[in-house]
Amino acid sequence: MSDATVPAHRVLGLTDAEYDLILDKLGREPNAVELSMFSLMWSEHCAYKHSKKLLGQLPTEGPYLLMGPGENAGAVDVGDGLAIAFKVESHNHPSAVEPFQGAATGVGGILRDIFAVGARPIAVLDSLRFGEPTGTRSRYLLEHAVGGIGHYGNSIGVPTVGGEIYFEPAYEQNCLVNAMALGIAPHDRLTRAAATGPGNVLVLFGALTGRDGIGGASVLASAELDEDDADKRPTVQIGDPFAEKKLLECSLELLDSDLLVSLQDLGAAGLTSSSSEMASKGGLGLDIHVDRVPLREPGMEPFEIMVSESQERMLCVVEPSKVDAVLAVCEKWETTATAIGEVTDSGHLRVLQGGEVVGDMPVPALVDDCPLYDLAPEKPATPTYPTAPRALKAADDDLQATLPELLGSANIASRRPVFEQYDWIVQSRTVRRPEEADAAVLTLPDGSAIAVSIDCSGRRVAADPYRGTVEAVFECAANLACTGAEPLGLTNCLNFGNPEKPHVAWQLTESVRGMADACRALDTPVVGGNVSLYNESGGGPIYPTPVVGLVGRLPEAARAGRLGFAQAGDAIAVIRAASPSLPASELAKLRGDALPDGLPQQDTGALRAAIELVRDAVRRGDVRSAHDVAEGGLAVALSETALAGGLGASIDLTQVGGSTCQSKPLDEQLFGEAPGTFIVSGSRELLASLKAPKGVALAVSIVGEVGGDTLSIAHTGGTLSWTLDELRTPRERGLGDLLDDATRLDD
Amino acid sequence: MRVLVRPKAGILDPQGQAVERALPALGFEGVSQVHVGRLVELEVADPAQLPAMCEKLLVNPLIEDYEIVSIDGAPAASAAGAAG
């Protein structure tokens, strides 16, 4: 176990200065219970001590906002008296240790955040990052993480409607598993977490408490923990979706019956963080009797009970007269419930065992007094990330072979092998399934719908943290626009390396600035999110990965856009707000090109105008398909559109507008990437009526016609042509083939 | 050979809990500490390879313990209680 010469606070991740501050706040030495609780509440995960100052830049006000950052989940108004609550959260480290349970409990955790605010979960999306799929470890992580997500989501009856997966060497040592959930609630059921009313009772309900995920705090037991004492070791968290389903129904019935003052889920740092945050928000104190907490295993120490991360538990505050009614509802749902403490006006969080105080801390010291650090950002002088070797077999001038190979590459190939393991239609709200439209679309009772997208290209953020993050936000908005939806609110999960390193600090600072500017440019508030730092082990930091989840609304579910060509004879138009470029693109990566230092300058006004033009066209029914051009550029997007509709197209590349497009080399025109580019199809007259607003640098050009069973692209030097089968085979089989190759290498 | 796989002590065992709740509902009283694992039966030419097979495929050593017994019931090897 730990070296006896290292003080416990350092092993728990507290600096000497932080420990001195704790001494000062308490006026004495903390005991084991207090030290373990401080170490968790003052961790990056709970205190955001390296990111809080930056996060203040993000806009958090908007016309549809009902509940902003600081609650278990944010919520926006979707009309008809209904609200949508949503949030994204990381479960990176547990997933690296045990991918199946790590990803499963990640889904369980984010679902609890949703029903803790009184919303019924209606959808899950996942954002996953792994090393190259040719590696056996990446394949293992992918298969088990996807299995865990499916296991939890499918079992509890919440559809997994979308997500994204990227494979990059930078995630080899540190996979990312981010889960987003959405829930629906009548406005008046939205619930906050603040504990109020001294004398009110604290009730813990749900699963029993065991030694799950105690992690670093187990050092406090080191005196008693020797090799024969495996029973006392912290254990991997195991998800139990059926227990969560009962917890969900129980929580919503308690709220509907108006039995609760407030409700909070237990996540990271367990009872410690949920209780102290409830007390802090209410400006009150709490007494917790750990000997009343129902335990799964005997002999747990008070500190273990306070920091346990056992899943499927909730904490609520109840008026004394309603406790019996609360316990009765819990019994109906076969959910263990116990009164474990009281709200006090002491301003202290006290932990009691057998009536004896074993921990006593001022709530503000735990929650608010953690020092916040300024970052020391510095742009790195030399490239941070090694350049991967060339993986593309097609020669640079063989564009005929390049497109099929690109369509079968890891980041572009169809995600069908993954999403077909998920139930995406349970609850019967899903009107656009994965790969049918650019965003998932879920219908609301009044006939309108919400659309949701999750996205971030870490490689482009690595090339340019500011512009890469702006792109990620606009990419989500573009996805929404293709279904006809207008953004209402944004959630994010900032996955970065160690912020104490200057170049990571620079990535984080620039990325948050980019997110703030992009949100302002789109008039979209951030409703909440999550920060996951220190994602580096062995091979250096991950690509900076500010995952963006965007929720929007469209007036008519029946008019939600699709991405595939719909009708032979339709005209095809390209809407373009920026010129494509190859550096940092998918093709450049596969060719083994180094990451550029910076992405091209962006005109956010033009990007927004492109998004609005497409959204309005979809809403009016002027276009029969709409697809945003992303990884792999125009040629890949045209292939996706053709394959999704089962219809070919003939395109005249020389008609694609935009002042600088035509002067670029052919490979850059075909495969270069840029935000704000769309392919739409529909009747020639209606497409001809699509006009960019005056004074905006936005090109709208009719470039071809839908029909046949080939995709042909005429350019100044000739014509490239592929049958749909030549495109479909690599796109459909690419991911499966890559994973199979990894299996063979393993043998 | 038989490999007996069981959830590690202390880890959440939803199957065991479900059985523990279901038995009293059927009138069987006095049941506690139910744990549900699984049994793998296999013939192997070289039983010395079994622990490696367990660690790599048959068992998830993060959350499960295992015990190898020959088919006549004599214990052959066990990883119960071993450091995870």
Side-chain angles (χ1 to χ4, degrees):
Chain A
M1 293 310 293
S2 65
D3 187 339
T5 59
V6 179
H9 69 264
R10 267 194 238 160
V11 180
L12 293 174
L14 292 169
T15 66
D16 291 352
E18 286 167 351
Y19 184 69
D20 288 342
L21 191 60
I22 292 170
L23 292 181
D24 183 49
K25 295 287 170 195
L26 286 182
R28 59 181 166 80
E29 298 232 339
N31 62 27
V33 174
E34 293 160 344
L35 187 59
S36 60
M37 290 172 67
F38 267 106
S39 75
L40 289 170
M41 292 307 294
W42 286 23
S43 68
E44 183 63 42
H45 194 98
C46 292
Y48 297 94
K49 56 191 177 186
H50 288 97
S51 51
K52 204 172 203 167
K53 289 189 174 184
L54 288 177
L55 297 176
Q57 301 170 44
L58 298 174
T60 55
E61 307 261 325
Y64 303 101
L65 188 82
L66 294 172
M67 217 154 71
E71 295 297 333
N72 285 304
V76 292
D77 178 21
V78 290
D80 200 24
L82 292 173
I84 294 290
F86 60 101
K87 190 182 184 184
V88 60
E89 217 168 53
S90 67
H91 226 217
N92 302 336
H93 182 66
S95 302
V97 175
E98 213 307 302
F100 185 96
Q101 294 297 342
T105 53
V107 173
I110 195 68
L111 290 175
R112 280 195 301 285
D113 278 324
I114 298 304
F115 63 79
V117 299
R120 174 174 290 278
I122 57 168
V124 168
L125 298 92
D126 309 282
S127 172
L128 310 175
R129 302 289 183 284
F130 303 102
E132 293 295 340
T134 42
T136 50
R137 172 142 178 93
S138 297
R139 172 175 158 267
Y140 164 79
L141 289 172
L142 169 71
E143 280 188 357
H144 288 77
V146 167
I149 291 164
H151 163 68
Y152 210 102
N154 298 357
S155 302
I156 197 173
V158 178
T160 301
V161 298
E164 48 155 13
I165 306 174
Y166 287 95
F167 302 92
E168 300 284 352
Y171 303 110
E172 184 75 48
Q173 302 294 328
N174 248 290
C175 65
L176 300 185
V177 173
N178 291 184
M180 175 174 176
L182 291 82
I184 191 166
H187 285 191
D188 57 9
R189 199 169 70 196
L190 284 179
T191 306
R192 294 179 189 266
T196 53
N200 282 344
V201 179
L202 202 56
V203 175
L204 176 69
F205 63 106
L208 305 182
T209 299
R211 287 190 180 89
D212 304 279
I214 285 178
S218 62
V219 66
L220 292 167
S222 58
E224 310 121 71
L225 189 69
D226 56 41
E227 288 302 310
D228 301 328
D229 232 350
D231 289 1
K232 287 202 170 178
R233 284 173 195 286
T235 52
V236 173
Q237 305 157 29
I238 307 285
D240 182 351
F242 299 104
E244 179 121 325
K245 173 67 173 168
K246 294 188 288 187
L247 196 62
L248 154 66
E249 299 300 340
C250 181
S251 298
L252 295 184
E253 180 170 340
L254 289 170
L255 290 170
D256 278 337
S257 315
D258 210 14
L259 292 172
L260 305 185
V261 174
S262 62
L263 180 63
Q264 163 100 16
D265 74 307
L266 274 72
L271 209 43
T272 294
S273 88
S274 55
S275 62
S276 51
E277 278 164 21
M278 278 180 125
S280 168
K281 283 172 190 149
L284 291 164
L286 291 173
D287 281 0
I288 295 177
H289 303 269
V290 285
D291 48 342
R292 296 183 195 164
V293 174
L295 302 179
R296 201 171 70 224
E297 29 185 334
M300 284 179 66
E301 303 281 330
F303 86 85
E304 291 179 308
I305 297 167
M306 287 306 296
V307 307
S308 160
E309 294 188 350
S310 289
Q311 301 288 302
E312 289 98 19
R313 297 181 299 162
M314 306 288 285
L315 191 62
C316 61
V317 173
V318 185
E319 288 168 18
S321 62
K322 292 180 176 171
V323 170
D324 286 345
V326 167
L327 298 183
V329 170
C330 291
E331 194 178 342
K332 171 185 158 191
W333 290 105
E334 294 180 342
T335 294
T336 308
T338 320
I340 62 158
E342 307 84 39
V343 180
T344 67
D345 54 12
S346 67
H348 281 237
L349 182 62
R350 297 200 309 165
V351 181
L352 298 98
Q353 187 183 33
E356 195 179 314
V357 177
V358 295
D360 184 349
M361 295 143 286
V363 172
L366 267 176
V367 180
D368 305 317
D369 290 345
C370 174
L372 300 182
Y373 296 103
D374 286 312
L375 300 180
E378 197 175 309
K379 188 178 174 182
T382 53
T384 308
Y385 301 96
T387 300
R390 184 184 177 99
L392 197 74
K393 296 188 193 85
D396 282 6
D397 59 358
D398 187 356
L399 302 181
Q400 182 71 36
T402 299
L403 177 60
E405 202 179 340
L406 207 48
L407 284 170
S409 66
N411 289 337
I412 292 179
S414 168
R415 270 52 189 136
R416 180 173 291 279
V418 170
F419 71 72
E420 70 186 4
Q421 298 184 45
Y422 302 144
D423 186 337
W424 65 78
I425 51 173
V426 65
Q427 296 191 10
S428 303
R429 283 191 189 85
T430 316
V431 293
R432 291 292 177 268
R433 62 160 178 78
E435 296 189 0
E436 188 180 10
D438 281 8
V441 180
L442 300 152
T443 179
L444 294 173
D446 68 354
S448 68
I450 54 165
V452 54
S453 170
I454 188 166
D455 203 87
C456 175
S457 169
R459 184 177 350 107
R460 294 181 75 82
V461 182
D464 189 330
Y466 176 85
R467 288 178 186 152
T469 306
V470 171
E471 267 188 21
V473 176
F474 273 91
E475 171 66 26
C476 279
N479 290 337
L480 259 50
C482 289
T483 66
E486 170 189 18
L488 302 177
L490 178 148
T491 179
N492 59 56
C493 185
L494 305 177
N495 304 273
F496 286 77
N498 178 354
E500 295 162 56
K501 293 184 179 171
H503 70 277
V504 175
W506 171 76
Q507 291 173 339
L508 183 58
T509 308
E510 287 294 287
S511 175
V512 173
R513 188 169 69 85
M515 189 169 296
D517 286 353
C519 287
R520 285 202 188 86
L522 288 166
D523 290 321
T524 302
V526 175
V527 307
N530 175 236
V531 177
S532 171
L533 303 179
Y534 301 96
N535 287 294
E536 52 185 288
S537 56
I542 57 163
Y543 280 159
T545 313
V547 170
V548 174
L550 196 62
V551 173
R553 183 171 175 273
L554 53 152
E556 279 180 81
R559 284 196 173 181
R562 285 188 165 85
L563 74 87
F565 290 137
Q567 200 170 304
D570 274 354
I572 300 165
V574 169
I575 296 162
R576 176 148 251 172
S579 192
S581 69
L582 274 182
S585 69
E586 210 56 45
L587 180 61
K589 174 202 165 179
L590 293 174
R591 282 177 172 176
D593 296 346
L595 271 186
D597 178 15
L599 294 173
Q601 202 173 352
Q602 298 153 333
D603 175 352
T604 52
L607 296 181
R608 179 173 171 153
I611 283 168
E612 288 175 348
L613 187 69
V614 172
R615 179 210 306 155
D616 293 346
V618 172
R619 285 185 171 192
R620 283 194 307 267
D622 286 357
V623 296
R624 275 188 277 265
S625 79
H627 186 32
D628 151 67
V629 177
E631 288 82 19
L634 191 63
V636 163
L638 282 167
S639 309
E640 290 165 346
T641 312
L643 292 174
L647 288 167
S650 42
I651 304 291
D652 183 353
L653 204 58
T654 63
Q655 296 302 308
V656 175
S659 54
T660 58
C661 284
Q662 296 299 331
S663 61
K664 299 238 170 181
L666 184 57
D667 60 351
E668 199 149 34
Q669 290 188 44
L670 289 172
F671 304 112
E673 297 173 17
T677 308
F678 297 86
I679 298 166
V680 294
S681 69
S683 80
R684 191 168 289 270
E685 301 72 53
L686 287 173
L687 290 197
S689 71
L690 296 180
K691 291 275 184 286
K694 277 202 164 45
V696 176
L698 184 63
V700 185
S701 11
I702 293 184
V703 300
E705 195 173 286
V706 176
D709 57 4
T710 60
L711 173 65
S712 66
I713 301 180
H715 54 92
T716 46
T719 300
L720 290 159
S721 185
W722 301 266
T723 67
L724 290 189
D725 283 341
E726 285 173 313
L727 303 175
R728 184 181 293 114
T729 304
R731 177 167 160 74
E732 289 295 321
R733 300 201 0 208
L735 190 56
D737 285 351
L738 283 164
L739 296 172
D740 286 348
D741 284 348
T743 319
R744 280 196 293 277
L745 291 173
D746 198 16
D747 290 341
Chain B
M1 301 294 287
R2 285 188 175 135
V3 179
L4 304 173
V5 186
R6 57 173 65 89
K8 271 187 188 294
I11 212 157
L12 177 64
D13 174 14
Q15 268 192 88
Q17 288 188 347
V19 172
E20 194 167 319
R21 272 195 307 272
L23 285 171
L26 294 170
F28 298 100
E29 294 300 331
V31 179
S32 64
Q33 296 297 311
V34 180
H35 298 290
V36 178
R38 64 184 183 281
L39 165 68
V40 183
E41 280 188 346
L42 67 178
E43 287 179 17
V44 283
D46 177 11
Q49 287 188 325
L50 262 175
M53 293 180 198
C54 287
E55 297 284 337
K56 280 202 151 172
L57 180 68
L58 302 179
V59 177
N60 181 345
L62 283 165
I63 58 178
E64 293 168 333
D65 288 328
Y66 65 94
E67 195 178 331
I68 299 168
V69 293
S70 67
I71 213 94
D72 54 24
S78 166

